[in-house]
Amino acid sequence: MGFMTAFVAAGALIGAVRAFDVEDMLAAPRRSTANVNPSGEWALFSSTRYNWTSHKASTTWHLMEVASGEISDAPFDSEVSEVVWVGETDTSILYINGTNEEVAGGVTLYTADVTDFNPTLVASLDAPFQGLKAQRAESGDIHFVVTAKAYFNNGSAYNPELASQPLSSGGLYDNVFVRHWDFYIEQERYSIFSGKLSAQQLGYPTGNGTAEGGLSFDGEMKNLLYGMNYTITRPETPVQPFGDSGDYDISPDGQTVAFLTKSPHLPKANYTASYIYLVPHDGSEEPVAINGPNTTAPETAQGASGYPRWSPDGTKLAYGQQDGISYESDRFKLYVANIDGLNSEVNSVAEDWDSTPSALAWGPEGKLYVASELNAMNRLWLIPYDAEASFKPTNFTGEDSYVSDYTVLKDGSVLVSSASGWTSREFYTQKPGEDKKVLFSANKVDAELEGLEQGSTDYFWFTNKDGDDIQTFMFKPTNFSESEKYPIAFVVHGGPQVAQGDNWSTRWNLRLWADQLNAIVTTVQFTGTPSYGQEFTDKIANNWAGTPYEDLQEAFEYMKENISYIDTDNAIAAGASYGAFMMNWINGHDFGRKFKAIVSHDGKLSQRGAYATEELWFIQKDQNGTIWDNPENYALWDPLDHIRNSTTPQFIVHNDLDYRVVVSDGIMLFNILQSRGVPSRFLHFPDEGHWVVNRENSKLWHEYIFNWCRHYLEGEELIEEPVIKQ
Ligand SMILES: *[C@@H]1O[C@H](CO)[C@@H](O)[C@H](O)[C@H]1NC(C)=O
Ligand SMILES: *[C@@H]1O[C@H](CO)[C@@H](O)[C@H](O)[C@H]1NC(C)=O
Ligand SMILES: *[C@@H]1O[C@H](CO)[C@@H](O)[C@H](O)[C@H]1NC(C)=O
Ligand SMILES: *[C@@H]1O[C@H](CO)[C@@H](O)[C@H](O)[C@H]1NC(C)=O
Ligand SMILES: *[C@@H]1O[C@H](CO)[C@@H](O)[C@H](O)[C@H]1NC(C)=O
Ligand SMILES: *[C@@H]1O[C@H](CO)[C@@H](O)[C@H](O)[C@H]1NC(C)=O
Ligand SMILES: *[C@@H]1O[C@H](CO)[C@@H](O)[C@H](O)[C@H]1NC(C)=O
Ligand SMILES: *[C@@H]1O[C@H](CO)[C@@H](O)[C@H](O)[C@H]1NC(C)=O
Ligand SMILES: *[C@@H]1O[C@H](CO)[C@@H](O)[C@H](O)[C@H]1NC(C)=O
Ligand SMILES: *[C@@H]1O[C@H](CO)[C@@H](O)[C@H](O)[C@H]1NC(C)=O
Ligand SMILES: *[C@@H]1O[C@H](CO)[C@@H](O)[C@H](O)[C@H]1NC(C)=O
Ligand SMILES: *[C@@H]1O[C@H](CO)[C@@H](O)[C@H](O)[C@H]1NC(C)=O
């Protein structure tokens, strides 16, 4: 099928420059990053769109020719959940088929060639395995690893569809970390399982799948973490809830697996530390740590580890690690370990680089291609693996899009998957030092994104009272004109240690906000925001509504004085998480009077309620102490103490499954504002966590919030149905 038919939604009007709307943003294709084959000629990606008539999402797969950027439909459909390029040729694949006709809740593995698609079932797996990685060993065998939850008592893979249901629902705990993010901790933990597809000429007579295609599977899945020693924290990979297959890697010869897990000798509620381990793929030996205590890694490196990656020759492993043992926003430093069997010797790389890398890949000539944010945009940097401490890396990609993922090609160029405020997905190739070549941009293809153009995001800088330079991004609506005056939607980002730049999001899509409110939407990268140097990030400690609050006010004043097209007298403010904490603070203080309305999503009303969250390392670092030894720090910036001064109308969202910031904070805020006669609404989702993810829920979220804002900005009638009455 051709390019246009594959991507253009039926019924959309091409050519009309209309406002970007909620249904379009939510329905538009969400494309995975590009999965590039070994020769660098082909890339696979998936695309999921939503149908507002059938209320269903559907996924399709696509194949891109890298040289031309030409895209065609892949020869398989949504039953395929993951694909790995591995096998005899550069177009051989191994994939997970999410269905299994023999085992309910299981999956199957197939091999095929994308250019001549004739799939062979090679393995039937009895649990919902995911996170496939694989290498072809010299023998022709395929060594693969996948992850699944494992039983506590015997380490075998846990299949919820087959598991026996307990008679009681009670869960008894003896230590903290009872729940996390949006789930309660249960006995089963994620683990890595290894398996081998043996190269065989003859059929292999087992019931585990067929031996056609020359590969057979003996059915053995080895839990590589089971039996690992720990004193406090049980090993778990990927690290929940956000870890994925980036938490482990399989050596090019298929013989050794590197993975990370949280420190087995520290409690996980108050420490972030994690270490990287090596284990033979066949599980014949216990995993051995390469960093952390009693290893060759520097003693200063004690914190969370990330992104272990084997060098192409299998003699080295590169990774990142934080120093701070309980500081999740400390900077990551790079390391390269020389590997010999399960022995390792760790060296640091470009140690003085004041940046916090989030991913790496090996390129030709021992160069590391590293992703790290600078000024709220994720960029790529080149670093020799043996770079000395003082080495100063330079970015070779710019600020026009945010790097999501990348693959180094044989000639040293990269294929990048990125996004920005005006396009949900861009694929491009770029050679360091040369211009990028755009292969694909969603806004040029998706009817839903029509009218979104590069250049609709801008930024300005000012110097704050501390002498720090503060960057503010501005998102402008369709048909923006400098001679007009626009209201302002003053958005405060979450974190606080998370930047919000010119980036695509389906949750806080600021370009959507700009069109829906016909406003300029701003995000100030206030003190504490990462990507502006570690010292700047660290200044947030014990300072939550201190310098950041001043920065926000200064940014607002700066716009009033300097930006003619912004009407600061017609303003609303909004934020989620830390941004909602700041909304609650702002409403109780003078700055709150600058806004006609406020929106807060899942924010803390009281710092003293923070001990109901599970990530104690976070609050204890950010409040610089515990609530029993340093109660004054928790009282210092507590919005609840100023609630009698909150008078600006406030829309509050809070969800039951948010165990990060608990729902009682939102209800408490609503109860107080209602009792005091402050116009307010409370929107609640029983099935959402810290974020609203379900598209139908998200549509409602957007409609009620935009209605609230337009009511106060332009007098639109407030939605009255179906408000739940007393
Ligand atoms: C943009 O301007 C064009 C031309 O005036 C108009 O047809 C279109 O409706 C406008 N779109 C928006 C979203 O204002
Ligand atoms: C959306 O779903 C409806 C109802 O099932 C169907 O008729 C329509 O063709 C679908 N639209 C697209 C673009 O697939
Ligand atoms: C996925 O598996 C099902 C059987 O469980 C099979 O019918 C289907 O053809 C498979 N699809 C692909 C693409 O492998
Ligand atoms: C492991 O233990 C679970 C729970 O007791 C049990 O259901 C499962 O069958 C066991 N697996 C094996 C391979 O013994
Ligand atoms: C694989 O086949 C062997 C031999 O028939 C059998 O013992 C084993 O239980 C099977 N394993 C799976 C996961 O089906
Ligand atoms: C695990 O602990 C046991 C008992 O202390 C010890 O004998 C064994 O050597 C340890 N294994 C590893 C890999 O450290
Ligand atoms: C971390 O948690 C453990 C177990 O609850 C506790 O004993 C220890 O004092 C805590 N350490 C810090 C620094 O909070
Ligand atoms: C490191 O080695 C020291 C000295 O042998 C020992 O006391 C300590 O428990 C070890 N730490 C870990 C985490 O293995
Ligand atoms: C690196 O980042 C700087 C700062 O934003 C930018 O000016 C420069 O163009 C970037 N370099 C490249 C090669 O894109
Ligand atoms: C960019 O968007 C991605 C995906 O939504 C998110 O993980 C990341 O934190 C965002 N970063 C910035 C600086 O906006
Ligand atoms: C945090 O506490 C330590 C002592 O525990 C103190 O030295 C430091 O100055 C404090 N930092 C802030 C920002 O309050
Ligand atoms: C409320 O505002 C008034 C006037 O600015 C101020 O004097 C008072 O301290 C504030 N009260 C609280 C609890 O913040």
Side-chain angles (χ1 to χ4, degrees), residues 678-711:
V678 179
S680 45
R681 294 194 133 179
F682 182 66
L683 176 62
H684 164 248
F685 295 97
D687 54 348
E688 298 279 1
H690 201 47
W691 302 332
V692 173
V693 177
N694 173 295
R695 288 178 182 81
E696 301 285 341
N697 289 345
S698 182
K699 182 173 174 232
L700 203 75
W701 184 95
H702 281 98
E703 282 170 359
Y704 288 154
I705 288 174
F706 289 152
N707 169 249
W708 177 261
C709 296
R710 285 193 294 251
H711 175 72

Side-chain angles (χ1 to χ4, degrees), residues 106-133:
V107 299
T108 45
L109 293 181
Y110 283 74
T111 53
D113 188 299
V114 285
T115 55
D116 178 18
F117 196 69
N118 229 325
T120 306
L121 174 68
V122 290
S124 158
L125 306 180
D126 60 3
F129 288 103
Q130 54 182 344
L132 180 66
K133 285 197 169 178

Side-chain angles (χ1 to χ4, degrees), residues 590 641-642 644-645:
D590 292 345
D641 288 347
H642 306 275
R644 64 169 298 149
N645 280 354

Side-chain angles (χ1 to χ4, degrees), residues 397-701:
T397 67
E399 60 189 19
D400 56 342
S401 65
Y402 187 98
V403 174
S404 314
D405 195 13
Y406 57 101
T407 304
V408 185
L409 306 178
K410 283 183 171 156
D411 66 352
S413 61
V414 280
L415 191 153
V416 179
S417 306
S418 67
S420 55
W422 45 272
T423 190
S424 60
R425 178 60 75 225
E426 192 173 71
F427 296 125
Y428 66 87
T429 49
Q430 186 171 5
K431 205 164 195 168
E434 294 179 12
D435 287 341
K436 73 183 196 184
K437 177 188 169 198
V438 178
L439 304 175
F440 171 87
S441 185
N443 68 326
K444 299 268 187 275
V445 174
D446 296 342
E448 295 92 336
L449 308 190
E450 230 247 319
L452 301 191
E453 294 294 342
Q454 182 165 13
S456 55
T457 318
D458 203 351
Y459 59 77
F460 63 85
W461 296 82
F462 67 90
T463 305
N464 76 358
K465 287 185 189 140
D466 280 6
D468 285 320
D469 292 329
I470 306 290
Q471 188 177 22
T472 300
F473 287 85
M474 296 187 288
F475 296 79
K476 300 170 183 175
T478 299
N479 285 354
F480 166 80
S481 156
E482 280 207 19
S483 56
E484 308 258 312
K485 270 221 183 271
Y486 295 85
I488 174 171
F490 191 79
V491 172
V492 176
H493 70 66
Q497 298 99 336
V498 181
Q500 189 173 21
D502 186 11
N503 194 3
W504 186 263
S505 171
T506 50
R507 290 182 285 106
W508 285 77
N509 186 304
L510 300 185
R511 188 59 179 70
L512 176 70
W513 280 63
D515 272 25
Q516 287 301 307
L517 303 181
N518 196 29
I520 305 295
V521 183
T522 61
T523 58
V524 181
Q525 308 304 299
F526 51 81
T527 297
T529 306
S531 77
Y532 300 87
Q534 191 60 37
E535 198 187 326
F536 185 75
T537 307
D538 293 348
K539 285 184 184 175
I540 194 78
N542 223 16
N543 190 19
W544 265 38
T547 320
Y549 179 69
E550 289 170 12
D551 292 345
L552 294 171
Q553 285 182 288
E554 281 186 67
F556 194 85
E557 286 307 311
Y558 179 93
M559 292 188 266
K560 188 184 169 93
E561 300 302 324
N562 298 288
I563 303 184
S564 61
Y565 52 82
I566 292 183
D567 178 7
T568 49
D569 291 334
N570 203 13
I572 63 101
S577 195
Y578 170 88
F581 156 88
M582 184 51 82
M583 291 303 117
N584 299 340
W585 181 265
I586 284 175
N587 206 352
H589 290 82
D590 292 345
F591 193 29
R593 309 295 78 79
K594 304 275 187 194
F595 301 101
K596 292 182 168 171
I598 285 177
V599 177
S600 59
H601 172 108
D602 286 30
K604 279 199 264 181
L605 176 62
S606 172
Q607 290 286 45
R608 282 166 284 199
Y611 271 80
T613 71
E614 71 299 324
E615 296 185 347
L616 298 183
W617 69 74
F618 171 60
I619 52 168
Q620 291 177 175
K621 172 68 191 173
D622 273 32
Q623 267 64 246
N624 200 22
T626 64
I627 201 164
W628 52 92
D629 286 331
N630 304 89
E632 66 286 358
N633 293 358
Y634 290 76
L636 192 54
W637 311 115
D638 198 325
L640 182 57
D641 288 347
H642 306 275
I643 195 84
R644 64 169 298 149
N645 280 354
S646 290
T647 51
T648 300
Q650 186 162 351
F651 190 101
I652 303 153
V653 187
H654 221 124
N655 308 324
D656 277 2
L657 301 185
D658 188 353
Y659 305 152
R660 195 82 166 69
V661 179
V662 296
V663 69
S664 54
D665 274 52
I667 295 178
M668 176 159 58
L669 173 60
F670 184 59
N671 289 350
I672 295 171
L673 294 183
Q674 284 283 311
S675 305
R676 292 186 46 251
V678 179
S680 45
R681 294 194 133 179
F682 182 66
L683 176 62
H684 164 248
F685 295 97
D687 54 348
E688 298 279 1
H690 201 47
W691 302 332
V692 173
V693 177
N694 173 295
R695 288 178 182 81
E696 301 285 341
N697 289 345
S698 182
K699 182 173 174 232
L700 203 75
W701 184 95

Side-chain angles (χ1 to χ4, degrees), residues 176 267 270-271 620:
V176 288
N270 52 14
Y271 293 100
Q620 291 177 175

